[in-house]
Amino acid sequence: MKSLGQIRHDWTSAEIKAIMNQPFNDLMFQAHTVHRMNFEPNEVQISTLVNIKSGGCAEDCSYCSQSSRYDTGLEKQKMMAVQEVLDKAMQAKAKGATRLCMGAAWRNPNKKDFPVVLEMVKVVRDLGMETCMTLGMLDDDQVAALKEAGLDYYNHNLDTSEAYYSKVITTRSFQDRLDTIDKVQKSGINVCSGGIIGMGEQHKDRVELLRTFANMDNHPGSVPINLLVPVEGTPLADMKGQTDAFEFIRVIATARVLMPQSYVRLSAGRMELNEQAQAWCFFAGANSIFYGDKLLTTDNPEADSDVQLFKKLGLNMQAQSKAHIEEESA
Ligand code: SAM
Ligand code: DTB
Ligand code: SF4
């Protein structure tokens, strides 16, 4: 490997495979070394999710409880009111979250709801929190309006490798996702983009997913790594317990080595990871989590149990994330 911790955009599949497959101790040492070069090792950025529009989505993502194609028992709800989002933001802030991630079960935002979304960005930002939205595909005007409203991050996951993509989603393409990410990146909004482990993909698909991010002109500022939460009624409901925790930790560590300055988020799936596995994720370079007992529609550890875990590990909740600090001092 060229020099450790160097920011590169020319990773080969063979290099990434070699990083991910090396002996566990070597990988942990390497990833943690890169982590310490770039971040305060005992600090974790805290984001809280709010599902601003639940269910009834036109897309067929095989993992998702919110697709209208599957009978998952989830009730479709209309868009949340701005005041309700503001209340949730205040509660999240009081518990220590620095970023509110607002998600909508849309293929793309519609004309009627979009102005409300912009208002949500403004009110949450006025609270002094970072804002993140995940609304599906965007056109140029929508990206410009979100930037204008002050959006800090846009989440748009690639989920898996280009080769495996059509096994998971057929209603949009990998290229559609890349196009939205490219628009967001060019607008100056920070990109949050990651994937899901445990959907039946092969090792090489994990390598290729990470290679796509690592070889972008700019690494995403935030890289969420989700462990599939198998949802009853979805095509991937039977995937429960299919992923070895060490494999998941290896993906986190490899993301850290490839993207030394990005926040790597230990995202969905923490209910299936015991405290020891989560501790390894933090050591391997994860420095962001979703905090609060709900993700979008599925369970996440109780905030109190995360506080206990942080205490045991001597981890601190980051008071302000790096992007915000840089912005304020610019
Ligand atoms: N509709 C928008 C979109 O798909 O971009 C935003 C919301 S969508 C629920 C956000 C992301 O959540 C997905 O891209 C996927 O990576 C993740 N996700 C959804 N369901 C999941 C599950 N059951 N397990 C793990 N991750 C999941
Ligand atoms: C991300 O990568 N994971 C979050 C967030 N970005 C939007 C969503 C996880 C959803 C898990 C399944 C659910 O709760 O519906
Ligand atoms: Fe819709 Fe997003 Fe779920 Fe896919 S992941 S079905 S786009 S809400």
mmCIF file with all atom_site columns, all heavy atoms in Angstrom, residues 44-48 92 95-100 129-130 265 287-292 306 310 316-318 321:
data_model
loop_
_atom_site.group_PDB
_atom_site.id
_atom_site.type_symbol
_atom_site.label_atom_id
_atom_site.label_alt_id
_atom_site.label_comp_id
_atom_site.label_asym_id
_atom_site.label_entity_id
_atom_site.label_seq_id
_atom_site.pdbx_PDB_ins_code
_atom_site.Cartn_x
_atom_site.Cartn_y
_atom_site.Cartn_z
_atom_site.occupancy
_atom_site.B_iso_or_equiv
_atom_site.pdbx_formal_charge
_atom_site.auth_seq_id
_atom_site.auth_comp_id
_atom_site.auth_asym_id
_atom_site.auth_atom_id
_atom_site.pdbx_PDB_model_num
ATOM 1   N N   . VAL A 1 44  ? -17.639 10.876 19.215 1.00 0.00 ? 44  VAL A N   1
ATOM 2   C CA  . VAL A 1 44  ? -18.598 10.335 18.252 1.00 0.00 ? 44  VAL A CA  1
ATOM 3   C C   . VAL A 1 44  ? -19.637 11.406 17.917 1.00 0.00 ? 44  VAL A C   1
ATOM 4   O O   . VAL A 1 44  ? -20.183 12.056 18.814 1.00 0.00 ? 44  VAL A O   1
ATOM 5   C CB  . VAL A 1 44  ? -19.299 9.075  18.828 1.00 0.00 ? 44  VAL A CB  1
ATOM 6   C CG1 . VAL A 1 44  ? -20.313 8.512  17.837 1.00 0.00 ? 44  VAL A CG1 1
ATOM 7   C CG2 . VAL A 1 44  ? -18.270 7.995  19.164 1.00 0.00 ? 44  VAL A CG2 1
ATOM 8   N N   . GLN A 1 45  ? -19.869 11.582 16.632 1.00 0.00 ? 45  GLN A N   1
ATOM 9   C CA  . GLN A 1 45  ? -20.884 12.544 16.179 1.00 0.00 ? 45  GLN A CA  1
ATOM 10  C C   . GLN A 1 45  ? -22.259 11.882 16.313 1.00 0.00 ? 45  GLN A C   1
ATOM 11  O O   . GLN A 1 45  ? -22.425 10.706 15.991 1.00 0.00 ? 45  GLN A O   1
ATOM 12  C CB  . GLN A 1 45  ? -20.581 12.932 14.720 1.00 0.00 ? 45  GLN A CB  1
ATOM 13  C CG  . GLN A 1 45  ? -21.417 14.053 14.151 1.00 0.00 ? 45  GLN A CG  1
ATOM 14  C CD  . GLN A 1 45  ? -22.762 13.591 13.630 1.00 0.00 ? 45  GLN A CD  1
ATOM 15  O OE1 . GLN A 1 45  ? -22.910 12.467 13.164 1.00 0.00 ? 45  GLN A OE1 1
ATOM 16  N NE2 . GLN A 1 45  ? -23.756 14.455 13.740 1.00 0.00 ? 45  GLN A NE2 1
ATOM 17  N N   . ILE A 1 46  ? -23.223 12.665 16.775 1.00 0.00 ? 46  ILE A N   1
ATOM 18  C CA  . ILE A 1 46  ? -24.540 12.108 17.087 1.00 0.00 ? 46  ILE A CA  1
ATOM 19  C C   . ILE A 1 46  ? -25.613 12.705 16.176 1.00 0.00 ? 46  ILE A C   1
ATOM 20  O O   . ILE A 1 46  ? -25.827 13.920 16.176 1.00 0.00 ? 46  ILE A O   1
ATOM 21  C CB  . ILE A 1 46  ? -24.898 12.443 18.567 1.00 0.00 ? 46  ILE A CB  1
ATOM 22  C CG1 . ILE A 1 46  ? -23.804 11.956 19.521 1.00 0.00 ? 46  ILE A CG1 1
ATOM 23  C CG2 . ILE A 1 46  ? -26.261 11.891 18.952 1.00 0.00 ? 46  ILE A CG2 1
ATOM 24  C CD1 . ILE A 1 46  ? -23.689 10.470 19.659 1.00 0.00 ? 46  ILE A CD1 1
ATOM 25  N N   . SER A 1 47  ? -26.272 11.827 15.423 1.00 0.00 ? 47  SER A N   1
ATOM 26  C CA  . SER A 1 47  ? -27.374 12.259 14.549 1.00 0.00 ? 47  SER A CA  1
ATOM 27  C C   . SER A 1 47  ? -28.654 11.572 15.004 1.00 0.00 ? 47  SER A C   1
ATOM 28  O O   . SER A 1 47  ? -28.617 10.430 15.464 1.00 0.00 ? 47  SER A O   1
ATOM 29  C CB  . SER A 1 47  ? -27.116 11.827 13.102 1.00 0.00 ? 47  SER A CB  1
ATOM 30  O OG  . SER A 1 47  ? -26.014 12.496 12.556 1.00 0.00 ? 47  SER A OG  1
ATOM 31  N N   . THR A 1 48  ? -29.763 12.282 14.854 1.00 0.00 ? 48  THR A N   1
ATOM 32  C CA  . THR A 1 48  ? -31.056 11.649 15.151 1.00 0.00 ? 48  THR A CA  1
ATOM 33  C C   . THR A 1 48  ? -31.928 11.697 13.903 1.00 0.00 ? 48  THR A C   1
ATOM 34  O O   . THR A 1 48  ? -31.942 12.699 13.182 1.00 0.00 ? 48  THR A O   1
ATOM 35  C CB  . THR A 1 48  ? -31.725 12.349 16.359 1.00 0.00 ? 48  THR A CB  1
ATOM 36  O OG1 . THR A 1 48  ? -30.961 12.026 17.522 1.00 0.00 ? 48  THR A OG1 1
ATOM 37  C CG2 . THR A 1 48  ? -33.159 11.864 16.569 1.00 0.00 ? 48  THR A CG2 1
ATOM 38  N N   . ALA A 1 92  ? -34.225 16.095 20.341 1.00 0.00 ? 92  ALA A N   1
ATOM 39  C CA  . ALA A 1 92  ? -32.964 15.443 19.952 1.00 0.00 ? 92  ALA A CA  1
ATOM 40  C C   . ALA A 1 92  ? -31.772 16.279 20.407 1.00 0.00 ? 92  ALA A C   1
ATOM 41  O O   . ALA A 1 92  ? -30.776 15.751 20.929 1.00 0.00 ? 92  ALA A O   1
ATOM 42  C CB  . ALA A 1 92  ? -32.931 15.228 18.438 1.00 0.00 ? 92  ALA A CB  1
ATOM 43  N N   . LYS A 1 95  ? -30.993 15.988 24.010 1.00 0.00 ? 95  LYS A N   1
ATOM 44  C CA  . LYS A 1 95  ? -30.335 14.714 24.362 1.00 0.00 ? 95  LYS A CA  1
ATOM 45  C C   . LYS A 1 95  ? -28.912 14.619 23.831 1.00 0.00 ? 95  LYS A C   1
ATOM 46  O O   . LYS A 1 95  ? -28.245 13.609 24.014 1.00 0.00 ? 95  LYS A O   1
ATOM 47  C CB  . LYS A 1 95  ? -31.159 13.544 23.838 1.00 0.00 ? 95  LYS A CB  1
ATOM 48  C CG  . LYS A 1 95  ? -32.467 13.394 24.596 1.00 0.00 ? 95  LYS A CG  1
ATOM 49  C CD  . LYS A 1 95  ? -33.025 12.012 24.431 1.00 0.00 ? 95  LYS A CD  1
ATOM 50  C CE  . LYS A 1 95  ? -34.043 11.765 25.532 1.00 0.00 ? 95  LYS A CE  1
ATOM 51  N NZ  . LYS A 1 95  ? -34.703 10.493 25.424 1.00 0.00 ? 95  LYS A NZ  1
ATOM 52  N N   . GLY A 1 96  ? -28.460 15.635 23.102 1.00 0.00 ? 96  GLY A N   1
ATOM 53  C CA  . GLY A 1 96  ? -27.054 15.646 22.664 1.00 0.00 ? 96  GLY A CA  1
ATOM 54  C C   . GLY A 1 96  ? -26.822 15.478 21.176 1.00 0.00 ? 96  GLY A C   1
ATOM 55  O O   . GLY A 1 96  ? -25.669 15.438 20.737 1.00 0.00 ? 96  GLY A O   1
ATOM 56  N N   . ALA A 1 97  ? -27.896 15.354 20.382 1.00 0.00 ? 97  ALA A N   1
ATOM 57  C CA  . ALA A 1 97  ? -27.686 15.207 18.926 1.00 0.00 ? 97  ALA A CA  1
ATOM 58  C C   . ALA A 1 97  ? -27.262 16.552 18.330 1.00 0.00 ? 97  ALA A C   1
ATOM 59  O O   . ALA A 1 97  ? -27.770 17.606 18.727 1.00 0.00 ? 97  ALA A O   1
ATOM 60  C CB  . ALA A 1 97  ? -28.967 14.726 18.248 1.00 0.00 ? 97  ALA A CB  1
ATOM 61  N N   . THR A 1 98  ? -26.330 16.503 17.393 1.00 0.00 ? 98  THR A N   1
ATOM 62  C CA  . THR A 1 98  ? -25.904 17.747 16.726 1.00 0.00 ? 98  THR A CA  1
ATOM 63  C C   . THR A 1 98  ? -26.472 17.836 15.313 1.00 0.00 ? 98  THR A C   1
ATOM 64  O O   . THR A 1 98  ? -26.370 18.871 14.675 1.00 0.00 ? 98  THR A O   1
ATOM 65  C CB  . THR A 1 98  ? -24.362 17.854 16.645 1.00 0.00 ? 98  THR A CB  1
ATOM 66  O OG1 . THR A 1 98  ? -23.849 16.680 16.004 1.00 0.00 ? 98  THR A OG1 1
ATOM 67  C CG2 . THR A 1 98  ? -23.752 17.998 18.019 1.00 0.00 ? 98  THR A CG2 1
ATOM 68  N N   . ARG A 1 99  ? -27.012 16.721 14.829 1.00 0.00 ? 99  ARG A N   1
ATOM 69  C CA  . ARG A 1 99  ? -27.563 16.741 13.466 1.00 0.00 ? 99  ARG A CA  1
ATOM 70  C C   . ARG A 1 99  ? -28.926 16.048 13.445 1.00 0.00 ? 99  ARG A C   1
ATOM 71  O O   . ARG A 1 99  ? -29.109 15.010 14.080 1.00 0.00 ? 99  ARG A O   1
ATOM 72  C CB  . ARG A 1 99  ? -26.613 16.023 12.499 1.00 0.00 ? 99  ARG A CB  1
ATOM 73  C CG  . ARG A 1 99  ? -27.018 16.145 11.030 1.00 0.00 ? 99  ARG A CG  1
ATOM 74  C CD  . ARG A 1 99  ? -26.047 15.440 10.115 1.00 0.00 ? 99  ARG A CD  1
ATOM 75  N NE  . ARG A 1 99  ? -24.667 15.809 10.388 1.00 0.00 ? 99  ARG A NE  1
ATOM 76  C CZ  . ARG A 1 99  ? -23.609 15.117 9.970  1.00 0.00 ? 99  ARG A CZ  1
ATOM 77  N NH1 . ARG A 1 99  ? -23.765 14.030 9.247  1.00 0.00 ? 99  ARG A NH1 1
ATOM 78  N NH2 . ARG A 1 99  ? -22.387 15.510 10.274 1.00 0.00 ? 99  ARG A NH2 1
ATOM 79  N N   . LEU A 1 100 ? -29.868 16.657 12.716 1.00 0.00 ? 100 LEU A N   1
ATOM 80  C CA  . LEU A 1 100 ? -31.164 16.015 12.511 1.00 0.00 ? 100 LEU A CA  1
ATOM 81  C C   . LEU A 1 100 ? -31.230 15.542 11.067 1.00 0.00 ? 100 LEU A C   1
ATOM 82  O O   . LEU A 1 100 ? -31.061 16.338 10.131 1.00 0.00 ? 100 LEU A O   1
ATOM 83  C CB  . LEU A 1 100 ? -32.312 16.994 12.795 1.00 0.00 ? 100 LEU A CB  1
ATOM 84  C CG  . LEU A 1 100 ? -33.654 16.298 12.990 1.00 0.00 ? 100 LEU A CG  1
ATOM 85  C CD1 . LEU A 1 100 ? -33.707 15.616 14.380 1.00 0.00 ? 100 LEU A CD1 1
ATOM 86  C CD2 . LEU A 1 100 ? -34.829 17.263 12.860 1.00 0.00 ? 100 LEU A CD2 1
ATOM 87  N N   . MET A 1 129 ? -28.719 23.349 14.926 1.00 0.00 ? 129 MET A N   1
ATOM 88  C CA  . MET A 1 129 ? -28.363 21.957 14.601 1.00 0.00 ? 129 MET A CA  1
ATOM 89  C C   . MET A 1 129 ? -27.958 21.865 13.138 1.00 0.00 ? 129 MET A C   1
ATOM 90  O O   . MET A 1 129 ? -28.422 22.658 12.310 1.00 0.00 ? 129 MET A O   1
ATOM 91  C CB  . MET A 1 129 ? -29.563 21.022 14.805 1.00 0.00 ? 129 MET A CB  1
ATOM 92  C CG  . MET A 1 129 ? -29.939 20.813 16.240 1.00 0.00 ? 129 MET A CG  1
ATOM 93  S SD  . MET A 1 129 ? -31.307 19.631 16.345 1.00 0.00 ? 129 MET A SD  1
ATOM 94  C CE  . MET A 1 129 ? -30.409 18.070 16.449 1.00 0.00 ? 129 MET A CE  1
ATOM 95  N N   . GLU A 1 130 ? -27.127 20.864 12.830 1.00 0.00 ? 130 GLU A N   1
ATOM 96  C CA  . GLU A 1 130 ? -26.863 20.570 11.420 1.00 0.00 ? 130 GLU A CA  1
ATOM 97  C C   . GLU A 1 130 ? -28.094 19.876 10.846 1.00 0.00 ? 130 GLU A C   1
ATOM 98  O O   . GLU A 1 130 ? -28.777 19.138 11.559 1.00 0.00 ? 130 GLU A O   1
ATOM 99  C CB  . GLU A 1 130 ? -25.677 19.618 11.293 1.00 0.00 ? 130 GLU A CB  1
ATOM 100 C CG  . GLU A 1 130 ? -24.357 20.284 11.545 1.00 0.00 ? 130 GLU A CG  1
ATOM 101 C CD  . GLU A 1 130 ? -23.197 19.333 11.293 1.00 0.00 ? 130 GLU A CD  1
ATOM 102 O OE1 . GLU A 1 130 ? -23.369 18.107 11.468 1.00 0.00 ? 130 GLU A OE1 1
ATOM 103 O OE2 . GLU A 1 130 ? -22.129 19.813 10.946 1.00 0.00 ? 130 GLU A OE2 1
ATOM 104 N N   . ARG A 1 265 ? -20.304 6.269  9.580  1.00 0.00 ? 265 ARG A N   1
ATOM 105 C CA  . ARG A 1 265 ? -21.392 6.094  10.551 1.00 0.00 ? 265 ARG A CA  1
ATOM 106 C C   . ARG A 1 265 ? -21.781 4.628  10.719 1.00 0.00 ? 265 ARG A C   1
ATOM 107 O O   . ARG A 1 265 ? -22.075 3.942  9.744  1.00 0.00 ? 265 ARG A O   1
ATOM 108 C CB  . ARG A 1 265 ? -22.634 6.907  10.149 1.00 0.00 ? 265 ARG A CB  1
ATOM 109 C CG  . ARG A 1 265 ? -23.748 6.798  11.202 1.00 0.00 ? 265 ARG A CG  1
ATOM 110 C CD  . ARG A 1 265 ? -24.934 7.719  10.953 1.00 0.00 ? 265 ARG A CD  1
ATOM 111 N NE  . ARG A 1 265 ? -24.520 9.077  10.767 1.00 0.00 ? 265 ARG A NE  1
ATOM 112 C CZ  . ARG A 1 265 ? -24.713 9.772  9.639  1.00 0.00 ? 265 ARG A CZ  1
ATOM 113 N NH1 . ARG A 1 265 ? -25.349 9.226  8.632  1.00 0.00 ? 265 ARG A NH1 1
ATOM 114 N NH2 . ARG A 1 265 ? -24.283 11.007 9.540  1.00 0.00 ? 265 ARG A NH2 1
ATOM 115 N N   . ASN A 1 287 ? -17.241 6.859  13.651 1.00 0.00 ? 287 ASN A N   1
ATOM 116 C CA  . ASN A 1 287 ? -17.292 8.005  14.575 1.00 0.00 ? 287 ASN A CA  1
ATOM 117 C C   . ASN A 1 287 ? -18.583 8.800  14.437 1.00 0.00 ? 287 ASN A C   1
ATOM 118 O O   . ASN A 1 287 ? -18.621 10.009 14.647 1.00 0.00 ? 287 ASN A O   1
ATOM 119 C CB  . ASN A 1 287 ? -16.062 8.904  14.426 1.00 0.00 ? 287 ASN A CB  1
ATOM 120 C CG  . ASN A 1 287 ? -15.866 9.422  13.018 1.00 0.00 ? 287 ASN A CG  1
ATOM 121 O OD1 . ASN A 1 287 ? -16.531 8.970  12.088 1.00 0.00 ? 287 ASN A OD1 1
ATOM 122 N ND2 . ASN A 1 287 ? -14.958 10.363 12.866 1.00 0.00 ? 287 ASN A ND2 1
ATOM 123 N N   . SER A 1 288 ? -19.645 8.076  14.137 1.00 0.00 ? 288 SER A N   1
ATOM 124 C CA  . SER A 1 288 ? -20.962 8.698  14.085 1.00 0.00 ? 288 SER A CA  1
ATOM 125 C C   . SER A 1 288 ? -21.987 7.587  14.286 1.00 0.00 ? 288 SER A C   1
ATOM 126 O O   . SER A 1 288 ? -21.761 6.442  13.865 1.00 0.00 ? 288 SER A O   1
ATOM 127 C CB  . SER A 1 288 ? -21.133 9.363  12.716 1.00 0.00 ? 288 SER A CB  1
ATOM 128 O OG  . SER A 1 288 ? -22.447 9.818  12.538 1.00 0.00 ? 288 SER A OG  1
ATOM 129 N N   . ILE A 1 289 ? -23.075 7.921  14.949 1.00 0.00 ? 289 ILE A N   1
ATOM 130 C CA  . ILE A 1 289 ? -24.178 6.945  15.107 1.00 0.00 ? 289 ILE A CA  1
ATOM 131 C C   . ILE A 1 289 ? -25.520 7.653  14.980 1.00 0.00 ? 289 ILE A C   1
ATOM 132 O O   . ILE A 1 289 ? -25.603 8.881  15.104 1.00 0.00 ? 289 ILE A O   1
ATOM 133 C CB  . ILE A 1 289 ? -24.171 6.205  16.482 1.00 0.00 ? 289 ILE A CB  1
ATOM 134 C CG1 . ILE A 1 289 ? -24.258 7.207  17.645 1.00 0.00 ? 289 ILE A CG1 1
ATOM 135 C CG2 . ILE A 1 289 ? -23.014 5.259  16.624 1.00 0.00 ? 289 ILE A CG2 1
ATOM 136 C CD1 . ILE A 1 289 ? -24.719 6.569  18.959 1.00 0.00 ? 289 ILE A CD1 1
ATOM 137 N N   . PHE A 1 290 ? -26.551 6.851  14.778 1.00 0.00 ? 290 PHE A N   1
ATOM 138 C CA  . PHE A 1 290 ? -27.923 7.335  14.925 1.00 0.00 ? 290 PHE A CA  1
ATOM 139 C C   . PHE A 1 290 ? -28.327 7.068  16.361 1.00 0.00 ? 290 PHE A C   1
ATOM 140 O O   . PHE A 1 290 ? -28.180 5.950  16.860 1.00 0.00 ? 290 PHE A O   1
ATOM 141 C CB  . PHE A 1 290 ? -28.875 6.614  13.961 1.00 0.00 ? 290 PHE A CB  1
ATOM 142 C CG  . PHE A 1 290 ? -28.709 7.046  12.538 1.00 0.00 ? 290 PHE A CG  1
ATOM 143 C CD1 . PHE A 1 290 ? -28.431 6.118  11.542 1.00 0.00 ? 290 PHE A CD1 1
ATOM 144 C CD2 . PHE A 1 290 ? -28.831 8.380  12.179 1.00 0.00 ? 290 PHE A CD2 1
ATOM 145 C CE1 . PHE A 1 290 ? -28.283 6.519  10.224 1.00 0.00 ? 290 PHE A CE1 1
ATOM 146 C CE2 . PHE A 1 290 ? -28.687 8.789  10.861 1.00 0.00 ? 290 PHE A CE2 1
ATOM 147 C CZ  . PHE A 1 290 ? -28.410 7.857  9.889  1.00 0.00 ? 290 PHE A CZ  1
ATOM 148 N N   . TYR A 1 291 ? -28.863 8.089  16.981 1.00 0.00 ? 291 TYR A N   1
ATOM 149 C CA  . TYR A 1 291 ? -29.143 8.068  18.409 1.00 0.00 ? 291 TYR A CA  1
ATOM 150 C C   . TYR A 1 291 ? -30.634 8.290  18.634 1.00 0.00 ? 291 TYR A C   1
ATOM 151 O O   . TYR A 1 291 ? -31.233 9.187  18.031 1.00 0.00 ? 291 TYR A O   1
ATOM 152 C CB  . TYR A 1 291 ? -28.320 9.195  19.013 1.00 0.00 ? 291 TYR A CB  1
ATOM 153 C CG  . TYR A 1 291 ? -28.381 9.408  20.485 1.00 0.00 ? 291 TYR A CG  1
ATOM 154 C CD1 . TYR A 1 291 ? -27.905 8.453  21.371 1.00 0.00 ? 291 TYR A CD1 1
ATOM 155 C CD2 . TYR A 1 291 ? -28.867 10.607 21.007 1.00 0.00 ? 291 TYR A CD2 1
ATOM 156 C CE1 . TYR A 1 291 ? -27.927 8.686  22.737 1.00 0.00 ? 291 TYR A CE1 1
ATOM 157 C CE2 . TYR A 1 291 ? -28.887 10.848 22.365 1.00 0.00 ? 291 TYR A CE2 1
ATOM 158 C CZ  . TYR A 1 291 ? -28.417 9.877  23.221 1.00 0.00 ? 291 TYR A CZ  1
ATOM 159 O OH  . TYR A 1 291 ? -28.431 10.104 24.572 1.00 0.00 ? 291 TYR A OH  1
ATOM 160 N N   . GLY A 1 292 ? -31.230 7.489  19.489 1.00 0.00 ? 292 GLY A N   1
ATOM 161 C CA  . GLY A 1 292 ? -32.677 7.557  19.716 1.00 0.00 ? 292 GLY A CA  1
ATOM 162 C C   . GLY A 1 292 ? -33.282 6.201  19.392 1.00 0.00 ? 292 GLY A C   1
ATOM 163 O O   . GLY A 1 292 ? -32.749 5.473  18.550 1.00 0.00 ? 292 GLY A O   1
ATOM 164 N N   . ASP A 1 306 ? -27.251 3.659  25.031 1.00 0.00 ? 306 ASP A N   1
ATOM 165 C CA  . ASP A 1 306 ? -26.077 4.223  24.339 1.00 0.00 ? 306 ASP A CA  1
ATOM 166 C C   . ASP A 1 306 ? -25.234 5.074  25.292 1.00 0.00 ? 306 ASP A C   1
ATOM 167 O O   . ASP A 1 306 ? -24.003 5.041  25.247 1.00 0.00 ? 306 ASP A O   1
ATOM 168 C CB  . ASP A 1 306 ? -26.518 5.065  23.135 1.00 0.00 ? 306 ASP A CB  1
ATOM 169 C CG  . ASP A 1 306 ? -26.815 4.190  21.920 1.00 0.00 ? 306 ASP A CG  1
ATOM 170 O OD1 . ASP A 1 306 ? -26.379 3.030  21.905 1.00 0.00 ? 306 ASP A OD1 1
ATOM 171 O OD2 . ASP A 1 306 ? -27.481 4.684  20.986 1.00 0.00 ? 306 ASP A OD2 1
ATOM 172 N N   . PHE A 1 310 ? -21.358 4.446  26.011 1.00 0.00 ? 310 PHE A N   1
ATOM 173 C CA  . PHE A 1 310 ? -20.357 5.506  25.875 1.00 0.00 ? 310 PHE A CA  1
ATOM 174 C C   . PHE A 1 310 ? -19.550 5.642  27.171 1.00 0.00 ? 310 PHE A C   1
ATOM 175 O O   . PHE A 1 310 ? -18.344 5.847  27.133 1.00 0.00 ? 310 PHE A O   1
ATOM 176 C CB  . PHE A 1 310 ? -21.043 6.841  25.529 1.00 0.00 ? 310 PHE A CB  1
ATOM 177 C CG  . PHE A 1 310 ? -21.331 6.998  24.052 1.00 0.00 ? 310 PHE A CG  1
ATOM 178 C CD1 . PHE A 1 310 ? -21.660 5.898  23.264 1.00 0.00 ? 310 PHE A CD1 1
ATOM 179 C CD2 . PHE A 1 310 ? -21.266 8.236  23.439 1.00 0.00 ? 310 PHE A CD2 1
ATOM 180 C CE1 . PHE A 1 310 ? -21.915 6.028  21.903 1.00 0.00 ? 310 PHE A CE1 1
ATOM 181 C CE2 . PHE A 1 310 ? -21.515 8.384  22.079 1.00 0.00 ? 310 PHE A CE2 1
ATOM 182 C CZ  . PHE A 1 310 ? -21.844 7.280  21.313 1.00 0.00 ? 310 PHE A CZ  1
ATOM 183 N N   . ASN A 1 316 ? -17.032 10.269 24.077 1.00 0.00 ? 316 ASN A N   1
ATOM 184 C CA  . ASN A 1 316 ? -17.783 11.516 24.274 1.00 0.00 ? 316 ASN A CA  1
ATOM 185 C C   . ASN A 1 316 ? -18.634 11.818 23.057 1.00 0.00 ? 316 ASN A C   1
ATOM 186 O O   . ASN A 1 316 ? -18.224 11.556 21.927 1.00 0.00 ? 316 ASN A O   1
ATOM 187 C CB  . ASN A 1 316 ? -16.818 12.695 24.470 1.00 0.00 ? 316 ASN A CB  1
ATOM 188 C CG  . ASN A 1 316 ? -15.910 12.462 25.641 1.00 0.00 ? 316 ASN A CG  1
ATOM 189 O OD1 . ASN A 1 316 ? -16.377 12.108 26.733 1.00 0.00 ? 316 ASN A OD1 1
ATOM 190 N ND2 . ASN A 1 316 ? -14.610 12.613 25.429 1.00 0.00 ? 316 ASN A ND2 1
ATOM 191 N N   . MET A 1 317 ? -19.778 12.409 23.327 1.00 0.00 ? 317 MET A N   1
ATOM 192 C CA  . MET A 1 317 ? -20.605 12.875 22.209 1.00 0.00 ? 317 MET A CA  1
ATOM 193 C C   . MET A 1 317 ? -19.998 14.173 21.713 1.00 0.00 ? 317 MET A C   1
ATOM 194 O O   . MET A 1 317 ? -19.753 15.089 22.507 1.00 0.00 ? 317 MET A O   1
ATOM 195 C CB  . MET A 1 317 ? -22.021 13.161 22.693 1.00 0.00 ? 317 MET A CB  1
ATOM 196 C CG  . MET A 1 317 ? -22.772 11.938 23.087 1.00 0.00 ? 317 MET A CG  1
ATOM 197 S SD  . MET A 1 317 ? -24.471 12.425 23.423 1.00 0.00 ? 317 MET A SD  1
ATOM 198 C CE  . MET A 1 317 ? -25.146 10.873 23.939 1.00 0.00 ? 317 MET A CE  1
ATOM 199 N N   . GLN A 1 318 ? -19.757 14.252 20.432 1.00 0.00 ? 318 GLN A N   1
ATOM 200 C CA  . GLN A 1 318 ? -19.145 15.451 19.870 1.00 0.00 ? 318 GLN A CA  1
ATOM 201 C C   . GLN A 1 318 ? -20.094 16.644 20.012 1.00 0.00 ? 318 GLN A C   1
ATOM 202 O O   . GLN A 1 318 ? -21.290 16.530 19.686 1.00 0.00 ? 318 GLN A O   1
ATOM 203 C CB  . GLN A 1 318 ? -18.862 15.189 18.398 1.00 0.00 ? 318 GLN A CB  1
ATOM 204 C CG  . GLN A 1 318 ? -17.967 16.196 17.768 1.00 0.00 ? 318 GLN A CG  1
ATOM 205 C CD  . GLN A 1 318 ? -17.695 15.788 16.326 1.00 0.00 ? 318 GLN A CD  1
ATOM 206 O OE1 . GLN A 1 318 ? -18.609 15.641 15.529 1.00 0.00 ? 318 GLN A OE1 1
ATOM 207 N NE2 . GLN A 1 318 ? -16.452 15.600 16.002 1.00 0.00 ? 318 GLN A NE2 1
ATOM 208 N N   . SER A 1 321 ? -19.947 19.145 14.988 1.00 0.00 ? 321 SER A N   1
ATOM 209 C CA  . SER A 1 321 ? -19.167 18.356 14.042 1.00 0.00 ? 321 SER A CA  1
ATOM 210 C C   . SER A 1 321 ? -18.193 19.232 13.266 1.00 0.00 ? 321 SER A C   1
ATOM 211 O O   . SER A 1 321 ? -18.331 20.444 13.210 1.00 0.00 ? 321 SER A O   1
ATOM 212 C CB  . SER A 1 321 ? -20.071 17.557 13.108 1.00 0.00 ? 321 SER A CB  1
ATOM 213 O OG  . SER A 1 321 ? -20.451 18.350 12.039 1.00 0.00 ? 321 SER A OG  1
#
